[in-house]
Amino acid sequence: GYATYCSACHSNKAIGAPVIGDKDAWEEALEKGIEEVYENGLNGINSMPPKGTAMDMSAEEFKKVVDYIVRSSK
């Protein structure tokens, strides 16, 4: 999951996505709650396409990857 679909944008600050491990960026992303983060990721937001192009991933699997990124950023 993460390495295949997410790391290209979420491990490179230059892209503009909240980077894994960036506590402040994820605190800001989580201000409206984790459900909002799930919805944004599943549906796409700004330059992020829906599911970060991981279209074969179920919503449940996708949420687990989001949880991993958030846990790794606290």
Side-chain angles (χ1 to χ4, degrees):
Y2 176 78
T4 304
Y5 296 105
C6 315
S7 64
C9 295
H10 288 285
S11 62
N12 180 349
K13 277 195 178 195
I15 302 280
V19 174
I20 190 168
D22 185 337
K23 184 175 184 266
D24 293 337
W26 283 101
E27 278 181 4
E28 185 178 325
L30 288 161
E31 281 178 357
K32 293 182 180 169
I34 190 70
E35 290 301 321
E36 182 86 5
V37 175
Y38 292 150
E39 287 301 310
N40 289 341
L42 289 166
N43 298 316
I45 183 170
N46 301 326
S47 60
M48 179 179 172
K51 290 189 187 175
T53 72
M55 299 318 287
D56 59 334
M57 194 181 289
S58 73
E60 186 152 315
E61 290 172 310
F62 184 84
K63 289 178 180 182
K64 287 180 183 175
V65 176
V66 171
D67 291 341
Y68 163 76
I69 295 171
V70 169
R71 271 196 318 275
S72 300
S73 303
K74 288 189 173 182

